[in-house]
Amino acid sequence: MHAASDLRVKVIPFHHDVVKGHRGGLWTLMAAVGLVLALACANVALLMLGRALGRDRELLVRVAVGASRGRIVRLVFAESLVVAAAGGLAGVALARISLFVINARALSTVPRLEATTIDPTVLLFALGASAFSALAFGVVPALRSARVDLAESMRAAAVGSGPPNRGQVREVIIVTQIALGLVLVVGAGLVVQSFRALAEAHPGFDPAQTVTMRVATPRTDLKVLTAFHDELLDRLRSLPGVVAAGAISQLPLTGQGPLQPYAFDAETARNWEQLSADNFGVTPGYFAAIRATMVAGRDFTPDDVHNRRRVIVIDDSLARRAFGGSAPAVGRRLQLEPEGTEESFFEVVGVVGHMRYHDLRRAMLPQIYQPGVYANFSVAVRTGGDPAQAGEAARRAIEALRPGTAVQNVRLLSDIVDEALGPMRLAVWLMTGFGVIALTLAAVGIYGVFSYFVGERTREIAVRLALGATPSDIRGLVVHRGMRLLALGLGIGLAGAIAVSSAATSLLYEVGASDVPTYLLAIVCLAGVAIAACWLPARRASRLDPQLGLRQA
């Protein structure tokens, strides 16, 4: 029989450790990219199909004078390929510019973002998408034109009619555009609302006027190290303008520290390691330096550190779970070692408010603070004056205290919090950009469809005007059709937006997936764009000269 080891190993895939909590957000952004691509494809489909269908008469004349079907297909494919290639190259160039801007604005907010490039796989995908667009939206209509009955098609072209399903295809595409546009605009609105709420959230401490730095000293015995801490903190507190100063093993929002198993009754002691908390070593004055809320009890004292007293401070979430509240927790004991001996128990002398050390969006593990000193630690200095000057003075004081002491990462605590907001800020930039692109593409698509609709029905509109229809009647004809498609698209998009938002809750904070004001604003924005895109062709149609329209038709 071998004695049980205290060593515990948890195997985590390296990729999972790198992306950590960003996985859900990145997949959500990937879905948004897919929706933008679908919108762009819908616009390409509208433009290419409209162009191809508008060339029916030209293609029929080519067939009539002897052009073969293969020649017609090659002609249209070559033209479509040139347009698709130009669009693909422009898209790659725009992607490179966008990637440069993102890296310049948010280099350290998303893991390995600086290593992101437009690799051969992305280039092949762009080329493939361009070639598919040329093939699907250019050649397919050409094949249809080359296979129709020549005599019947010439008679239909002479009277200005066309295939009966021509309008249905365009309507399906425009409804799809509206639906996808609403999903993107709603997503952008929810992410923006979440960022606003997150920026105003209280992390459990006050980062203002606090400068931090990482300190590494040569390893030495505990007595010498304790004396060094005492003298260092005394010097920092004596600096002009310094209100409070303290040290901690790991600053908030700077990485994962060690975990501490704990137990508070017989059942949790039997199931050791079932409960764990974040564990930090702190010195007296740290809680005052970051203005943590002392809910009950007291802070550590120098006597706690010098005599290595078995006392701890816990956060209020652990106090509620273990002892039913903050005040009853003071004076109680918590087991921090598995043996269950008297030395395994630590007395709770204080309770602080829970601080969001790892994720600003949600509370995670409870927290246990122990009085202690380390060779590598972080210092927090609160000042009533200029934090930059206080940081420089603190750095010089630390370096002068002991030769060989390294002082790194001198920065404001508010900058650390701002950096933690980086992933959400990046998501706001991207989703807002996607929303603007969605509105633009929807406007272009709707305008193109109804412009083509007006041009296709020039003869009918001219006849209506000649027979006494008023300009308002003509505008109503066009706008009514547009509003029917708008209502259908908004209905489908609303269902899609609710489904997508519910699946993307990892990007949201203090905002429900079905936030009514955001949905209403998105619907109003998209409806306004659609109405404007319908109104302009309708206005042009209402001003048509009947005689000129009949001659042009």
Side-chain angles (χ1 to χ4, degrees), residues 274-440:
Q274 181 184 26
L275 302 176
S276 293
D278 282 320
N279 186 48
F280 305 97
V282 300
T283 67
Y286 170 74
F287 296 127
I290 65 170
R291 285 194 179 173
T293 303
M294 186 61 67
V295 180
R298 64 172 177 85
D299 191 0
F300 295 124
T301 65
D303 182 61
D304 296 329
V305 178
H306 294 161
N307 296 323
R308 304 182 66 184
R309 297 184 58 197
R310 305 181 79 79
V311 295
I312 56 174
V313 171
I314 62 176
D315 74 333
D316 54 358
S317 64
L318 196 156
R320 286 191 299 271
R321 181 170 188 174
F323 307 114
S326 299
V330 177
R332 304 285 289 274
R333 298 199 306 169
L334 207 63
Q335 183 179 341
L336 301 185
E337 296 174 2
E339 292 81 6
T341 61
E342 184 65 23
E343 290 74 18
S344 302
F345 290 86
F346 289 70
E347 180 187 354
V348 177
V349 296
V351 179
V352 297
H354 178 81
M355 287 176 265
R356 299 190 176 184
Y357 268 82
H358 307 300
D359 192 335
L360 288 172
R361 286 175 293 181
R362 58 184 178 274
M364 298 183 72
L365 291 174
Q367 293 145 11
I368 297 175
Y369 302 89
Q370 299 185 30
V373 292
Y374 299 85
N376 298 319
F377 57 96
S378 294
V379 172
V381 178
R382 175 169 291 275
T383 177
D386 183 5
Q389 293 181 0
E392 180 60 23
R395 185 188 63 79
R396 291 196 302 266
I398 295 173
E399 291 177 343
L401 182 61
R402 174 185 290 186
T405 300
V407 181
Q408 302 171 326
N409 297 331
V410 180
R411 53 181 176 165
L412 298 177
L413 186 57
S414 57
D415 290 340
I416 297 177
V417 174
D418 188 65
E419 184 177 310
L421 290 172
M424 176 63 79
R425 183 181 292 108
L426 178 61
V428 168
W429 294 342
L430 293 178
M431 290 299 296
T432 302
F434 292 153
V436 172
I437 292 173
L439 286 174
T440 303

Side-chain angles (χ1 to χ4, degrees), residues 208-287:
Q209 296 296 114
T210 302
V211 64
T212 67
M213 60 205 73
R214 188 71 180 171
V215 180
T217 65
R219 292 190 177 276
T220 183
D221 61 78
L222 182 60
K223 185 176 181 180
V224 174
L225 189 59
T226 302
F228 170 74
H229 273 255
D230 289 342
E231 187 174 0
L232 181 149
L233 293 176
D234 286 341
R235 286 198 180 191
L236 293 180
R237 290 164 185 153
S238 65
L239 292 175
V242 171
V243 177
I248 186 171
S249 55
Q250 183 82 45
L251 283 170
L253 305 170
T254 59
Q256 179 73 49
L259 297 181
Q260 173 63 61
Y262 68 92
F264 55 84
D265 57 18
E267 181 180 353
T268 55
R270 284 195 302 269
N271 299 289
W272 187 252
E273 293 188 347
Q274 181 184 26
L275 302 176
S276 293
D278 282 320
N279 186 48
F280 305 97
V282 300
T283 67
Y286 170 74
F287 296 127

Side-chain angles (χ1 to χ4, degrees), residues 453-512:
F453 169 74
V454 170
E456 188 181 46
R457 301 184 67 174
T458 299
R459 182 190 296 271
E460 175 192 341
I461 292 172
V463 170
R464 287 176 178 269
L465 289 172
L467 294 177
T470 63
S472 61
D473 294 332
I474 301 302
R475 289 193 295 269
L477 173 69
V478 179
V479 173
H480 178 267
R481 186 172 182 177
M483 293 305 98
R484 180 170 57 86
L485 298 179
L486 175 63
L488 182 58
L490 289 178
I492 298 174
L494 188 60
I498 293 175
V500 171
S501 300
S502 299
T505 53
S506 62
L507 273 179
L508 304 182
Y509 175 77
E510 296 293 332
V511 177

